[in-house]
Amino acid sequence: MMHTRGRARFGVLVPFTNTNLEPDMALLCPEGVSLHVARLGGYDQDEIPDAAQMHGLGAADLDEPLRLLQGVRPDVILYGCTSATLTHGLYFDRALAERIKAESGARTVTAAGALVYALKVLNVDRIGFASPYVAAINDLATRFLSEAGIQTVARSEVAGELDNYGQGELDPDAVFELGLAADHADAQAVVLSCTDMRSVEVISRLEQALGKPVITSNQAMMFQAMQLCGIELGVSEYGQIMEGVGHGV
């Protein structure tokens, strides 16, 4: 029987239309860690989540959801939207993490920052990038990663423009194909960006197909949060980085 509490508390800030971050966290969560969630607004659920919408989410007022989340005294707070800070840039992402930490007293992980953290742990500086975002956000994402010293050598995008619910409704097979399309001979790893895309379920399958690490937003956040709390790895079905294989993790 899995023990679901007592070891650490992870607080998660999640966009209010996101339906996949919480199930992913449940899959990834190590024994003895409890999850506590507060929802974020700051964007229009009926609009295409373009650069302006996600820029608005990144700049949205966090005071109330953060106040409510502080009620459980979390050890780590995870800011669960990748594109919200990808659209603002690396400096904004780091400043947001510092602000949440200063206001809450909890160590803080952002989804975009966690992608960078995981890639740095793996000594990866060339990637293939896949997401359900509109092309303009992918442009900003690759710029964000470039600022962190990570070059995007290949990129795959969905056809058309997905709304907030369309991103979350991509099935794992579609996500798998999106990941395959992002691969390149020069890419040391493939990144699947978006906390509302069902990427965690295809990590192992995609790594086997590509022969290289796969990093996703939610997996990377859990990995960094575990590292901050000194929690051992060894969750083999969710990627090489969660096993700590061959990279001194």
Side-chain angles (χ1 to χ4, degrees):
M1 178 179 175
M2 182 176 177
H3 298 289
T4 59
R5 67 209 77 192
R7 198 175 188 184
R9 297 187 190 116
F10 290 173
V12 187
L13 293 165
V14 55
F16 75 104
T17 58
N18 187 310
T19 60
N20 289 310
L21 176 54
E22 290 143 303
D24 277 0
M25 289 292 109
L27 290 173
L28 294 162
C29 195
E31 186 168 356
V33 173
S34 56
L35 298 170
H36 309 274
V37 176
R39 305 194 84 76
L40 300 173
Y43 62 99
D44 188 334
Q45 71 188 75
D46 297 318
E47 294 292 330
I48 297 294
D50 58 15
Q53 287 279 315
M54 293 302 97
H55 195 273
L57 173 56
D61 186 1
L62 292 179
D63 289 348
E64 183 63 5
L66 195 54
R67 182 187 72 79
L68 295 173
L69 201 53
Q70 284 175 255
V72 301
R73 294 180 292 179
D75 298 288
V76 182
I77 289 178
L78 288 68
Y79 180 83
C81 184
T82 326
S83 56
T85 60
L86 287 176
T87 55
H88 280 272
L90 187 64
Y91 175 79
F92 178 93
D93 180 82
R94 291 173 175 169
L96 179 65
E98 287 301 319
R99 177 194 152 199
I100 293 172
K101 181 179 178 182
E103 292 185 13
S104 67
R107 289 161 288 187
T108 303
V109 171
T110 68
L115 290 178
V116 172
Y117 178 83
L119 292 168
K120 295 292 187 182
V121 167
L122 293 173
N123 296 315
V124 165
D125 57 17
R126 298 185 309 280
I127 64 159
F129 183 88
S131 86
Y133 309 144
V134 298
I137 291 183
N138 284 332
D139 292 341
L140 293 169
T142 55
R143 184 186 307 170
F144 180 105
L145 293 167
S146 178
E147 290 173 359
I150 298 160
Q151 179 187 5
T152 301
V153 298
R155 173 172 132 181
S156 68
E157 299 171 350
V158 296
E161 295 182 341
L162 298 177
D163 63 14
N164 286 294
Y165 297 103
Q167 291 185 352
E169 289 166 1
L170 284 174
D171 66 35
D173 286 340
V175 177
F176 177 79
E177 294 299 327
L178 196 64
L180 282 181
D183 190 30
H184 187 280
D186 293 335
Q188 300 162 294
V190 167
V191 169
L192 301 178
S193 180
C194 183
T195 63
D196 200 18
M197 187 165 71
R198 293 180 62 180
S199 306
V200 164
E201 295 160 275
V202 304
I203 293 171
S204 180
R205 179 182 166 201
L206 196 52
E207 286 191 341
Q208 289 174 20
L210 300 177
K212 61 187 67 174
V214 171
I215 301 298
T216 82
S217 296
N218 296 342
Q219 167 220 46
M221 280 198 296
M222 183 60 77
F223 171 74
Q224 187 175 5
M226 290 169 65
Q227 294 269 287
L228 288 171
C229 290
I231 296 172
E232 69 274 6
L233 304 173
V235 189
S236 60
E237 64 265 44
Y238 300 121
Q240 294 181 31
I241 198 164
M242 296 297 276
E243 296 178 74
V245 173
H247 299 282
V249 181

